[in-house]
Amino acid sequence: MSDRPLGRSLIRLGAMALGRSRAHRQDVWPHLAVDRVAGEVRWHGRSLARLVRLAEIVPPGAPLLAVVGSGPSLAAQTPERLPPGSAILCNGAASLAGRVAPLAVAVEDERFVYRHAAMLAGLDRGLPLLLSAAAMRAMAEHDASLLTGRPLALIDNLAKPVNAPRRRLDDPALDPILRRAGTAALSRDPDAGVVITGTVAFSAMQVALAAGPETILLAGIDLGNAASPRFYESPANMAESGLLKGLPRIIAGFALARDEARERGIRLSCASPVSTLLGLGIPYDSRLA
């Protein structure tokens, strides 16, 4: 069964009546409003949180930024070795927040929020969140106070902008901010939006690249073993993963990120000894072993 409540699934179906170009309006409907110009998120018409730019959360020129996924490989590693304030924890990697002093937590799939609302509710109120509009809405449905008083940045989908119609990624208007290769693309300006591939780790990767650190470390991004429990799950209690279905698109995105990092002089390495990304020539990094 889906982690999305039945009522929410019905809203998604009903949104198709708006037409393909505006069906993603359901991400914020009925009670969330994201005003990017004013830098404000409203819930039920009342101000809920201040919206900040990603650059205010992820500082430029850091020595190290780590994008941490929730792959099984992390179960046998020591993420505590990551320097404080260096890790962007994606989805279930948020469970490491008490161990690694992260820079931020990133979530873009509302289904993760529905399944693990308690995990997100336990995060320190000062910890910045990078959220899609749908994840913001799902968290507000659970407990709107979780979004107040903390740095909050939007992970916006360039193809389905939060307050605009759907558009194609080959739209010439996106030429100034997109790097493209074949069907793959990545955003060089994640505050304007990111390219969604099916894993929030790639969205976080675009954020990290834009910040231009000396090194980007990819941890817990295994990809090929997505049928196994994530490091914080058990075989009897694991959520279905869509990674395998979208794997070609995800790998193509990370290949483009590899090229972008190389051209910008950013060292890129992978801490997972079993990651599919090693096959792209991204070198293994043993610092968490």
Side-chain angles (χ1 to χ4, degrees):
M1 295 181 64
S2 172
D3 293 314
R4 188 179 288 114
L6 176 60
R8 195 70 227 173
S9 295
L10 293 175
I11 288 173
R12 283 171 57 84
L13 288 173
M16 297 304 295
L18 298 174
R20 187 170 181 267
S21 70
R22 292 191 177 273
H24 61 283
R25 176 66 185 165
Q26 67 86 26
D27 287 346
V28 297
W29 193 85
H31 302 304
L32 187 75
V34 179
D35 188 334
R36 303 186 66 176
V37 175
E40 183 183 36
V41 177
R42 295 190 296 276
W43 182 244
H44 285 270
R46 297 181 179 180
S47 181
L48 176 63
R50 185 173 71 93
L51 198 64
V52 303
R53 291 178 57 83
L54 287 160
E56 295 180 52
I57 295 175
V58 184
L64 170 70
L65 287 178
V67 177
V68 185
S70 52
S73 65
L74 268 182
Q77 294 189 319
T78 311
E80 291 87 348
R81 293 177 183 167
L82 292 171
S86 67
I88 302 174
L89 304 180
C90 300
N91 283 0
S95 62
L96 300 173
R99 298 164 55 188
V100 303
L103 178 63
V105 166
V107 179
E108 66 185 22
D109 190 340
E110 66 178 6
R111 292 171 297 181
F112 179 84
V113 177
Y114 288 128
R115 186 175 179 89
H116 294 291
M119 181 192 297
L120 298 174
L123 296 174
D124 185 276
R125 292 304 179 101
L127 181 62
L129 298 181
L130 318 181
L131 301 176
S132 69
M136 285 184 196
R137 191 211 68 250
M139 283 191 69
E141 289 173 353
H142 176 75
D143 182 354
S145 70
L146 296 177
L147 298 179
T148 59
R150 72 161 79 237
L152 181 65
L154 176 67
I155 299 176
D156 203 9
N157 185 342
L158 275 175
K160 301 176 184 179
V162 66
N163 293 322
R166 182 174 180 146
R167 59 188 171 185
R168 293 169 55 94
L169 290 177
D170 58 5
D171 185 336
L174 296 177
D175 289 352
I177 65 171
L178 281 185
R179 177 179 183 135
R180 304 182 183 94
T183 59
L186 67 79
S187 172
R188 288 170 165 153
D189 182 6
D191 273 308
V194 300
V195 176
I196 302 295
T197 62
T199 173
V200 66
F202 185 65
S203 298
M205 179 68 181
Q206 292 167 83
V207 173
L209 281 170
E214 295 176 12
T215 299
I216 296 176
L217 176 68
L218 305 175
I221 305 175
D222 299 350
L223 300 178
N225 57 4
S228 301
R230 299 162 181 85
F231 78 89
Y232 61 92
E233 294 178 327
S234 67
N237 184 25
M238 57 179 289
E240 182 180 352
S241 174
L243 287 180
L244 293 179
K245 182 178 179 180
L247 196 56
R249 180 175 65 251
I250 293 168
I251 293 175
F254 274 103
L256 201 55
R258 171 205 61 198
D259 296 342
E260 179 76 3
R262 183 179 297 154
E263 291 181 14
R264 295 184 56 188
I266 300 171
R267 291 189 294 273
L268 180 62
S269 60
C270 179
S272 169
V274 297
S275 177
T276 303
L277 299 179
L278 298 175
L280 297 178
I282 299 175
Y284 172 63
D285 190 316
S286 65
R287 75 179 74 193
L288 303 185

